[in-house]
Amino acid sequence: MDFAKMIDHTILKADATKEDVKKLCEEALEYGFCSVCVNSSFVYYCAQQLKDSDVKVCTVVGFPLGAMSTDGKTAETLAAIEDGAEEIDMVVHVGMIKSRDWDYVKQDIASVVEAADGRAIVKVILETCLLTEEEIITVCQICKEAGAAFVKTSTGFSTGGATVKDVALMRRTVGPVMGVKASGGIRTLEKAKAMVEAGADRLGTSSGAAIVKAQREEEHMAGNRHD
C-alpha cells in the first residue's frame, strides 16, 4: 500500500507564508502525494507550481466553521475552480445539523456540488467531534444523496480530529461507492495505518513527509530481514 497516493498534503494555518506553501508543493512533488490542500488564496500559486505534475490542488470552502452562507460557499467554490482547484473540501453547517434542519444541510452541500459541476470533486467535512453517531450517519446519507464524492472527518481546528471509530462508522454508512477522508491529528505511520484499516481511502495531514519516510524505512527493514 502506497500511503503517498492517499495523502492530501495540508497547510491551512493562518500564518502560512508563501514560502511555506512553496515547500508544501515541493514535498508533494518529491513524495508523489495525491494533492496539496491549501486555503483558497494560495490555489492559483499552487496550480502554477504543480501544473506539469499529477499532484492535484485541493482547497477548503466555508472553512473552518461551516457557518458561511450557501451563496458564500458557492462563490468561493467557483473562484477556487477558476484559479485551478480540482478538489473542494467544504465544511457543513454544524449549527443547522444541530437544529435538525436537514433541508438546509442538503441544499448547502448540493449547491457546492452543483457549483463544482464535475470540474472538481467535493469532499464534505463533517466535524465529527461535534456530532453524535446519529448525526454522523444522517449527514453521511445526505452527502451521498447530494452527490458529494467524499465525506471527511474534521477540519483540524475544532475540539478533536479523526478517530478510528468515526471513520469506521462513516465507511459503513456510505458503503464502497464514496470516499472517506480522515483528517486531524494524523501525524504517525501507525495512526495512518489505523485510519486506512478503519476504511479511510484519503488522509489529510501536514505530516505526510514523515509518514511516507516511516513507511519506506519500515519496508526497507522488512526487505533486509527477508534477504
Side-chain angles (χ1 to χ4, degrees):
M1 182 186 300
D2 184 3
F3 277 100
K5 294 298 181 189
M6 304 174 75
I7 288 174
D8 290 346
H9 196 35
T10 304
I11 189 164
L12 295 168
K13 60 184 183 178
D15 59 350
T17 64
K18 203 167 181 179
E19 194 58 38
D20 293 332
V21 175
K22 184 171 189 282
K23 183 183 177 189
L24 189 84
C25 292
E26 289 170 350
E27 289 177 343
L29 290 169
E30 179 184 351
Y31 292 99
F33 293 135
C34 183
S35 80
V36 295
C37 185
V38 295
N39 284 298
S40 58
S41 57
F42 289 117
V43 166
Y44 182 79
Y45 178 76
C46 290
Q48 296 306 303
Q49 296 290 311
L50 301 167
K51 63 183 176 183
D52 295 320
S53 76
D54 294 330
V55 181
K56 298 177 178 67
V57 180
C58 171
T59 194
V60 288
V61 162
F63 193 85
L65 301 178
M68 178 189 285
S69 70
T70 299
D71 285 348
K73 289 178 182 177
T74 57
E76 194 173 15
T77 299
L78 291 168
I81 292 171
E82 188 69 25
D83 282 347
E86 297 171 85
E87 301 196 346
I88 303 291
D89 287 17
M90 70 162 287
V91 189
V92 293
H93 197 309
V94 177
M96 291 300 185
I97 295 170
K98 294 296 183 183
S99 302
R100 304 185 72 80
D101 190 340
W102 303 122
D103 289 340
Y104 184 102
V105 175
K106 184 173 182 179
Q107 182 59 35
D108 194 48
I109 297 165
S111 293
V112 171
V113 172
E114 186 178 338
D117 193 28
R119 294 177 294 162
I121 66 166
V122 176
K123 309 190 206 93
V124 182
I125 306 174
L126 308 191
E127 205 68 285
T128 49
C129 61
L130 302 179
L131 304 180
T132 65
E133 283 193 12
E134 179 195 358
E135 288 164 348
I136 291 170
I137 290 167
T138 301
V139 178
C140 282
Q141 291 167 339
I142 288 171
C143 289
K144 204 171 176 180
E145 292 166 8
F150 277 75
V151 286
K152 175 179 169 182
T153 59
S154 322
T155 61
F157 283 74
S158 190
T159 58
T163 68
V164 166
K165 181 182 175 185
D166 287 341
V167 168
L169 176 62
M170 292 161 72
R171 174 53 71 199
R172 286 197 305 273
T173 305
V174 301
V177 297
M178 283 183 77
V180 174
K181 177 175 172 179
S183 64
I186 303 169
R187 300 186 183 93
T188 65
L189 178 60
E190 290 69 32
K191 191 79 177 277
K193 283 181 178 178
M195 294 301 163
V196 172
E197 286 166 8
D201 44 15
R202 195 76 74 87
L203 303 170
T205 176
S206 57
S207 302
I211 289 168
V212 173
K213 281 179 187 173
Q215 183 188 23
R216 291 176 182 174
E217 179 64 23
E218 187 177 85
E219 288 171 352
H220 178 70
M221 296 292 286
N224 286 342
R225 284 197 297 273
H226 292 307
D227 288 342

